[in-house]
Amino acid sequence: MKDMFSTEQPSEKKMEWKKIVTPYAYAGLTERPVIHKATTQKTDANVVDIARTRKDLLISLVCQEFQIKPQEIGVNRRLPDIVHARHAYYYLLKRFTNMGLKEIGKSVGLRQDHTTVLHAIDKCRTEIELKTDIGLKINSIINAIK
């Protein structure tokens, strides 16, 4: 077991990984773009484009799974396909970000109340538990993220 007073230096791989990931992780949390100098370093092929914000990633995955356009999530229409996609987006935002309910409601531009977002999240949880078509779609998005 390592103790906190250990003088052991981290491996080169860990240090290289930290140099690459730390700015992008910070950018993901603060939702600010990363500005960096061009480098000639090779990065791991499994590293996803981390510079994209989580919201952009989630919205693209939801739209792909529910077969709608990204602009349709923010439209005030009550078509079932759009509503289910919007609810899934709310659920995923709550699960994978630290956004509050009010902030999630404003994220699509509809200024939805926090209780509307809470209702949508609860509905999605129920859909996932019952393993309905919508629940399976949400699970496939979650698996794509992991």
Side-chain angles (χ1 to χ4, degrees):
M1 181 174 168
K2 258 183 154 177
D3 76 29
M4 59 191 260
F5 301 107
S6 174
T7 58
E8 183 182 322
Q9 295 294 322
S11 69
E12 261 185 60
K13 271 188 174 180
K14 280 185 181 178
M15 291 304 292
E16 189 62 34
W17 179 250
K18 190 174 182 180
K19 286 180 191 175
I20 295 169
V21 173
T22 302
Y24 291 104
Y26 180 76
L29 292 173
T30 60
E31 296 180 358
R32 292 184 181 153
V34 175
I35 301 170
H36 56 83
K37 296 177 184 176
T39 65
T40 56
Q41 293 176 338
K42 292 182 180 178
T43 57
D44 187 4
N46 294 330
V47 175
V48 181
D49 182 13
I50 304 171
R52 289 176 66 184
T53 62
R54 289 180 182 164
K55 290 194 295 188
D56 289 342
L57 175 65
L58 290 176
I59 207 161
S60 66
L61 290 172
V62 167
C63 290
Q64 182 180 354
E65 188 66 37
F66 285 87
Q67 298 177 351
I68 64 168
K69 296 175 187 168
Q71 302 86 0
E72 291 178 318
I73 283 193
V75 175
N76 195 10
R77 299 179 81 191
R78 293 184 183 172
L79 297 172
D81 293 340
I82 295 172
V83 170
H84 295 312
R86 190 181 307 128
H87 287 184
Y89 178 61
Y90 290 161
Y91 175 79
L92 294 168
L93 277 177
K94 185 63 180 165
R95 179 164 175 178
F96 291 107
T97 68
N98 58 356
M99 293 173 68
L101 297 176
K102 263 186 178 177
E103 196 176 357
I104 291 171
K106 292 178 184 177
S107 68
V108 295
L110 295 177
R111 288 193 249 150
Q112 293 194 335
D113 189 58
H114 70 281
T115 56
T116 305
V117 175
L118 185 61
H119 174 71
I121 292 169
D122 288 342
K123 279 183 74 171
C124 286
R125 283 187 187 134
T126 304
E127 298 285 344
I128 292 169
E129 288 173 8
L130 297 176
K131 296 183 181 179
T132 63
D133 291 338
I134 297 162
L136 294 175
K137 286 182 180 183
I138 295 170
N139 271 335
S140 71
I141 295 169
I142 292 169
N143 292 334
I145 293 169
K146 291 180 180 179

